[in-house]
């Protein structure tokens, strides 16, 4: 029979995770070619067509380059976000973190995910061919809402014997929309366009989508108290492992596909 997970072992585990995320962030930063992985972000707007006349104005869609984004910096950012969060809950925030775990809640986790997972989705969207700033903000925002609904799920189910799944369902709806937007782009490109994203982008899309779904499954198992998940700390450790695997998978797939020298 396996030993129960203790708060002391989780602290050590979080310190290790902080180091692993930070080490990967440093490796990506040092190994990436600064001339690779730069994407231009644009703003779309309506403007008058050259075919317009004074009597009959014709509006057409146009775009303007706003700024560039280096994917290496996005990868470094979401890895460092996790590193900082793990370090904080193992040190300065440890007392409140452990008190929350005893109540079945980890606020830092969901806040960090709202930032890091949303940054991950922006990176995937850029690789997929989404450069419009408004769309990228929507992708970021919907992913953030999905994760904040995880926080709402834990807050509103405090002390409940039977969980209320409203926050979970709202989060699932918000979370699936960015994937549908990117999937629609793939479909349209293959059906109507002359080209499509590189093969590694499809691998990223499928692998990270599956990882994101594993987080949702982990929450279901926690609240239904299935087997080892009846111990909230087991689910907490599963979240930590999933976070490392998902971020590592995305980081090194992006590196291999577009950032390596």
């Amino acid at each position: 029979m396996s030993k129960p997970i203790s708060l002391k072992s989780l602290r050590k585990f979080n310190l290790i995770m902080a180091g692993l995320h930070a080490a990967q962030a440093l490796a990506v930063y040092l190994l990436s070619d600064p001339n690779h992985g730069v994407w231009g972000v644009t703003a779309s707007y309506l403007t008058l067509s050259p075919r317009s006349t004074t009597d009959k104005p014709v509006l057409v869609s146009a775009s303007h380059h706003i700024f560039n984004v280096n994917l290496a910096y996005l990868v470094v950012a979401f890895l460092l976000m996790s590193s900082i969060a793990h370090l904080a809950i193992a040190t300065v925030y440890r007392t409140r973190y452990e008190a929350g775990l005893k109540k079945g809640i980890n606020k830092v986790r969901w806040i960090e995910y709202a930032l890091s997972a949303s940054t991950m989705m922006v990176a995937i969207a850029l690789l997929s061919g989404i450069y419009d700033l408004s769309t990228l903000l929507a992708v970021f925002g919907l992913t953030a809402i999905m994760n904040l609904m995880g926080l709402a799920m834990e807050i509103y189910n405090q002390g409940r014997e039977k969980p209320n799944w409203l926050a979970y369902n709202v989060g699932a709806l918000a979370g699936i929309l960015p994937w549908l937007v990117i999937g629609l782009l793939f479909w349209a490109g293959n059906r109507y366009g002359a080209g499509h994203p590189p093969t590694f982008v499809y691998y990223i899309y499928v692998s990270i989508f599956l990882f994101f779904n594993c987080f949702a499954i982990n929450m279901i198992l926690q609240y239904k108290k299935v087997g080892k998940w009846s111990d909230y700390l087991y689910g907490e450790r599963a979240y930590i492992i999933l976070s490392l695997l998902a971020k590592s998978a995305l980081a090194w797939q992006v590196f291999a596909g577009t950032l390596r020298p």
Side-chain angles (χ1 to χ4, degrees), residues 41-91:
V41 175
T42 62
S44 298
Y45 58 94
L46 289 175
T47 188
L48 288 173
S49 167
R51 296 183 288 110
S52 294
T53 64
T54 304
D55 297 329
K56 189 177 181 181
V58 178
L59 293 173
V60 295
S61 178
S63 63
H64 181 78
H65 176 267
I66 303 295
F67 55 84
N68 290 328
V69 173
N70 192 315
L71 278 179
Y73 296 153
L74 291 183
V75 172
V76 168
F78 66 69
L79 288 169
L80 284 181
M81 288 174 193
S82 281
S83 179
I84 292 169
H86 284 299
L87 183 62
I89 60 180
T91 54

Side-chain angles (χ1 to χ4, degrees), residues 27-39 70-72 75 198 200 251-261:
V28 170
Y29 179 77
L30 293 177
L31 296 175
S32 296
D33 187 327
N35 298 314
H36 292 180
V38 177
W39 265 253
N70 192 315
L71 278 179
V75 172
F200 82 91
W252 295 109
Q253 285 183 94
V254 172
F255 178 83
T258 191
L259 298 178
R260 58 188 173 86

Side-chain angles (χ1 to χ4, degrees), residues 113-145:
Y113 287 178
L115 296 173
S116 62
S118 303
T119 304
M120 292 168 71
M121 283 303 300
V122 167
I124 296 171
L126 285 168
L127 285 167
S128 304
I130 297 175
Y131 310 126
D132 178 63
L133 180 59
S134 298
T135 307
L136 292 172
L137 285 174
V139 166
F140 185 96
L142 285 166
T143 308
I145 289 170

